[in-house]
Amino acid sequence: MSSESNMVHSPMVTYASMLSLLTLCPPFVILLWYTMVHADGSVLQTTNYLREHGLQGFINIWPKPTATAWKIIACYAAFEAALQLWLPGKRVEGPISPAGNRPIYKANGLAAYAVTLITYLGLWWFGIFNPTIVYDHLGEIFSALIFGSFIFCIFLYIKGLVAPSSTDSGSSGNIIIDFYWGMELYPRIGKNFDIKVFTNCRFGMMSWAVLAVTYCIKQYETYGRVSDSMLVNTILMLVYVTKFFWWEAGYWNTMDIAHDRAGFYICWGCMVWVPSVYTSPGMYLVNHPVNLGVQLALYILVAGILCIYINYDCDRQRQEFRRTNGKALVWGKAPSKIHASYTTTSGETKSSLLLTSGWWGLSRHFHYVPEISAAFFWTLPALFNHFLPYFYVVFLTILLFDRAKRDDDRCRSKYGKYWKLYCEKVPYRIIPGIY
Ligand code: NDP
C-alpha cells in the first residue's frame, strides 16, 4: 500500500471508528432529525420517548425511504452531475499526487452553485416545486441517503479494485480498511467526471446551501415571516458555502481531496453527515422563530462574517504563498519560510515551501479557530434553550482537533527534520499560546 494509507490511524482505531460510524451515525442522524423536527429540539423529550417505547419506538420513528425521497435525491444528484459535466469553467491543475500524477479539473463550482440556487428559488417562486416538500420528507430523505450512500461506497470499493482511474490507488490487503479509507485517490467516471468533486462539493456542500434555503422557506410558509434568528443563520451559512464555492479550486489542494482516498469515511460523511448534521442548527430554527432584535442580530452576523473571512484568508494566504513560490507578501512583508524537501513514493526528491509567518506563524492550524467560531456564530441565533443545535460545533471541534493531529503526523513523516524545524518556530498546533 502507498505511504498515504499508512498515515491515517492504526488498524485498531480504524476498526473502532468504522464500527462506531456504521452502528452509531445512521441512528444518530435519524434521532437528530426526529428531535429537531418532532421533539422541539429537546434531547430530554426524545430520551423519555425512547425510555417509554424502547427499541420498537425507535424503529417506529425511523422513516422508510419513500419513492418521493428517492425521486428528490435522484433529481438533485442528476442535476448536479449535469452541471459539473457541462457548465463551462477554467482548466485547473491539482497538486502532484504521491504517485506523481497531476489531476485536471474544470473549475465551474461557483457557476454550478449560482445555477442551483437560482433554479431552486425559481422553482419555488413560479410554483413549480415547493421546497417545503423537501422539509416535509426530510426524515425519509436522510434514511434513503443512509442506505444509498452505503451502496455507493461499495461501488467505490469495487471500482477501485477492478477499474482504478489512476495509479494513485491500491489495496492495503485488508478489505475493511480499503472500504473505510478508500482505494482510489482520484476516482473518475470516464475522463472528466471526478467522483470526489461530485460527492464532496456538488452533492455534499451544495446540499448544505439548498437545505439552508429550504429551512428558511419552510419557516416563511409556516409562520408567514422569517425571524431575524433564521435570517442570520441562513445568511451566515450561505456566506460560508459561497466562500467554499468561490475557493473550490483551492479546496482541491486540501487534505480531503489531495490526501484522503474516496472511501466510506469521506464519501459517506459528505453525502449523509453534511446534509443532516452540518445543516442542523437551521433545522432547529424552523420551529423556533426566536426574535433577536436588530442590534444582537447584526452583532452576530458581523462576528460570523469576520470569522468566515479570516478562515478564507488563512487558506488564501497559504495557497498564494505556494502559487507564487514564496514571493507573495504576507501581511505586507516578505514571508518567513522553510525550504523543505521530501521523497515521493516513487523515490523522487521534491521540494516544498512552508510558510512560517502570517496566519501560519500564529499556530500550525490556526485556520481551524475561525472555522469553529463561525459555526458557533451561526448557531448562536438558536440561543441556549437546548444543547442539540450546538452539536455541530462540538462535533466540528473534535473533528478538527483530530484532523490537526492527523495532518501533523502526515507532515512529520513527509518532511522529517523540516517539519521539526517548523514546530520549533511555530510551537502551537491550533490555539496560539494554549495548544
Ligand atoms: P489544508 O489541507 O488546507 O492545509 C494543510 C496542508 O497544508 C498540509 O497537509 C500541508 O500540505 C500544507 N501545509 C501545512 N503547513 C503549511 C505551511 N506552514 N505552509 C504551507 N503549507 C502548509 O487543511 P484542511 O484541508 O484541513 O483545511 C482546508 C479548509 O477546509 C480550512 O478552511 C478548514 O477550516 C476547512 N475544513 C472544514 C471542515 C468542516 O467540516 N467544516 C473540515 C476540514 C476542513 P503539503 O503536503 O502540501 O505540504
Side-chain angles (χ1 to χ4, degrees):
M1 185 179 213
S2 81
S3 54
E4 267 296 309
S5 309
N6 297 331
M7 286 163 205
V8 292
H9 297 297
S10 67
M12 219 31 220
V13 176
T14 297
Y15 292 139
S17 76
M18 175 169 181
L19 207 68
S20 55
L21 237 114
L22 275 170
T23 54
L24 301 179
C25 291
F28 180 82
V29 165
I30 298 300
L31 286 174
L32 177 77
W33 158 79
Y34 173 81
T35 309
M36 293 302 197
V37 174
H38 297 294
D40 201 31
S42 161
V43 175
L44 194 66
Q45 202 172 311
T46 301
T47 314
N48 287 341
Y49 168 84
L50 289 176
R51 257 204 215 119
E52 215 175 294
H53 297 91
L55 186 62
Q56 191 52 46
F58 174 61
I59 293 169
N60 291 346
I61 60 172
W62 190 311
K64 308 285 164 293
T66 56
T68 310
W70 286 118
K71 262 191 244 164
I72 291 173
I73 295 169
C75 289
Y76 168 69
F79 186 68
E80 292 308 327
L83 295 184
Q84 184 178 331
L85 265 179
W86 292 315
L87 277 182
K90 236 176 49 194
R91 179 184 182 277
V92 169
E93 293 185 347
I96 296 184
S97 69
N101 302 310
R102 197 185 270 286
I104 306 294
Y105 300 100
K106 184 157 67 163
N108 59 7
L110 196 61
Y113 176 66
V115 171
T116 301
L117 287 191
I118 291 168
T119 308
Y120 197 52
L121 288 170
L123 291 175
W124 174 55
W125 191 255
F126 293 110
I128 301 165
F129 178 81
N130 194 327
T132 57
I133 298 173
V134 174
Y135 179 84
D136 297 339
H137 291 82
L138 207 52
E140 298 150 38
I141 292 173
F142 289 155
S143 181
L145 283 177
I146 287 169
F147 295 116
S149 304
F150 188 77
I151 291 164
F152 182 75
C153 292
I154 295 177
F155 155 77
L156 282 180
Y157 170 75
I158 296 171
K159 183 188 169 310
L161 207 59
V162 300
S165 301
S166 79
T167 46
D168 282 294
S169 62
S171 168
S172 64
N174 180 321
I175 179 170
I176 296 179
I177 293 182
D178 286 349
F179 173 78
Y180 187 75
W181 287 117
M183 296 277 288
E184 291 190 77
L185 187 59
Y186 294 114
R188 292 201 165 186
I189 295 175
K191 193 164 166 274
N192 295 323
F193 190 76
D194 190 284
I195 295 181
K196 266 162 78 182
V197 169
F198 178 73
T199 53
N200 297 26
C201 309
R202 309 308 172 80
F203 193 99
M205 290 303 287
M206 197 72 80
S207 74
W208 190 349
V210 169
L211 286 174
V213 170
T214 303
Y215 300 149
C216 208
I217 291 175
K218 177 66 186 179
Q219 193 185 68
Y220 175 75
E221 298 233 335
T222 310
Y223 298 92
R225 63 182 205 95
V226 180
S227 61
D228 54 11
S229 52
M230 180 57 111
L231 268 183
V232 170
N233 172 268
T234 312
I235 293 172
L236 284 179
M237 282 186 173
L238 287 182
V239 170
Y240 182 87
V241 183
T242 309
K243 175 221 78 163
F244 175 85
F245 281 107
W246 169 265
W247 162 86
E248 191 194 41
Y251 173 70
W252 298 333
N253 291 294
T254 69
M255 276 174 76
D256 282 4
I257 299 288
H259 305 305
D260 288 342
R261 293 174 174 215
F264 182 80
Y265 173 78
I266 200 134
C267 294
W268 197 88
C270 288
M271 296 176 83
V272 182
W273 205 245
V274 171
S276 55
V277 173
Y278 284 41
T279 71
S280 60
M283 206 190 302
Y284 170 83
L285 284 169
V286 172
N287 297 319
H288 299 84
V290 183
N291 198 23
L292 300 171
V294 178
Q295 202 175 17
L296 182 57
L298 279 178
Y299 282 149
I300 299 176
L301 190 67
V302 170
I305 290 176
L306 191 68
C307 290
I308 296 171
Y309 172 75
I310 294 174
N311 172 258
Y312 162 78
D313 200 51
C314 296
D315 291 332
R316 187 204 56 78
Q317 198 172 67
R318 177 176 85 79
Q319 282 168 9
E320 201 56 14
F321 166 77
R322 281 266 173 99
R323 194 183 61 75
T324 59
N325 216 0
K327 291 197 178 64
L329 294 185
V330 169
W331 289 355
K333 287 193 215 137
S336 115
K337 53 184 176 279
I338 294 171
H339 291 266
S341 68
Y342 63 96
T343 313
T344 64
T345 46
S346 56
E348 254 182 287
T349 302
K350 299 223 174 221
S351 63
S352 193
L353 289 178
L354 295 172
L355 175 61
T356 58
S357 59
W359 299 115
W360 296 82
L362 297 182
S363 67
R364 299 193 298 277
H365 303 273
F366 181 76
H367 55 331
Y368 294 158
V369 175
E371 173 88 34
I372 295 167
S373 313
F376 173 76
F377 284 118
W378 67 59
T379 310
L380 196 54
L383 301 179
F384 296 105
N385 289 337
H386 293 292
F387 160 74
L388 205 55
Y390 291 87
F391 175 78
Y392 171 65
V393 183
V394 174
F395 157 79
L396 185 69
T397 307
I398 297 169
L399 175 88
L400 293 183
F401 274 66
D402 171 68
R403 192 179 173 93
K405 186 188 173 304
R406 269 206 307 138
D407 192 45
D408 266 8
D409 291 348
R410 196 188 66 76
C411 289
R412 190 173 307 110
S413 68
K414 178 175 176 181
Y415 295 120
K417 62 179 181 194
Y418 301 104
W419 192 256
K420 206 165 155 248
L421 190 63
Y422 181 34
C423 293
E424 279 162 17
K425 276 185 122 177
V426 183
Y428 293 102
R429 189 178 269 167
I430 299 178
I431 309 169
I434 297 178
Y435 174 77

